[in-house]
């Protein structure tokens, strides 16, 4: 049984609750345990994963970044993804479920477990990467 850390950037509570529900359900269905920590925003997710790298088997990154009127969206979306990818390339098993959408309607569709279930998909990706790391470790 693997111990998975879910790191959530909780900015939109109602959307994060949906992502968390999907991620937790997928992890539990696979027979693994999980904990959840909350960070201020998507930019802090990779840092939190790096700090916890030695304590967990795999990680699920969750959050929602919705395009606004400024360039900030591109910075947050790109840099959080870059940070997560760098950690993945260092050998951590991470599923990236940070949504980057144009509007709340797109985020809702992607977050809902009975629709696109991106939280559940991120958890399954983390577990798949953990399996590969174990195989090639």
């Amino acid at each position: 049984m693997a111990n998975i850390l879910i790191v959530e950037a909780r900015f939109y509570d109602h959307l994060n609750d949906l992502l968390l529900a999907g991620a937790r359900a997928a992890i539990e269905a696979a027979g693994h345990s999980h904990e959840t920590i909350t960070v201020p925003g998507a930019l802090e997710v990779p840092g939190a994963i790096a700090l916890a790298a030695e304590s967990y088997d795999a990680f699920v990154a969750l959050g929602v970044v919705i395009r606004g009127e400024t360039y900030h969206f591109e910075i947050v979306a790109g840099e959080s993804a870059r940070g997560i990818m760098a950690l993945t390339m260092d050998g951590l098993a991470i599923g990236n479920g940070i949504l980057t959408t144009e509007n709340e309607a797109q985020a809702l569709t992607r977050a809902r477990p009975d629709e696109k279930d991106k939280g559940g998909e991120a958890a399954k990706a983390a577990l798949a990467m953990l399996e590969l790391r174990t195989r090639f470790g």
Side-chain angles (χ1 to χ4, degrees):
M1 176 170 75
N3 191 19
I4 315 300
L5 180 64
I6 300 169
V7 180
E8 67 154 344
R10 182 167 277 281
F11 193 79
Y12 300 98
D13 290 343
H14 62 296
L15 298 170
N16 272 76
D17 288 344
L18 295 167
L19 289 169
L20 277 169
R24 289 173 175 162
I27 293 167
E28 291 166 7
H32 301 292
S33 65
H34 60 82
E35 293 180 50
T36 302
I37 62 168
T38 302
V39 296
L43 288 174
E44 290 76 34
V45 170
I49 291 172
L51 291 170
E54 308 252 335
S55 301
Y56 294 89
D57 300 307
F59 302 87
V60 180
L62 298 179
V64 179
V65 183
I66 298 175
R67 184 179 301 278
E69 297 177 4
T70 69
Y71 185 68
H72 186 68
F73 171 86
E74 282 82 4
I75 302 262
V76 173
E79 290 301 310
S80 63
R82 185 198 58 75
I84 290 167
M85 182 56 68
L87 293 168
T88 300
M89 298 301 290
D90 286 342
L92 296 184
I94 305 171
N96 187 351
I98 297 177
L99 304 181
T100 53
T101 65
E102 295 292 325
N103 54 55
E104 186 176 343
Q106 289 178 348
L108 276 168
T109 298
R110 285 159 180 74
R112 287 185 181 124
D114 61 342
E115 290 188 53
K116 297 212 181 243
D117 192 22
K118 295 299 181 180
E121 285 184 16
K124 290 174 186 174
L127 295 172
M129 294 302 290
L130 177 59
E131 185 177 314
L132 284 174
R133 190 181 74 204
T134 302
R135 178 178 173 191
F136 296 119

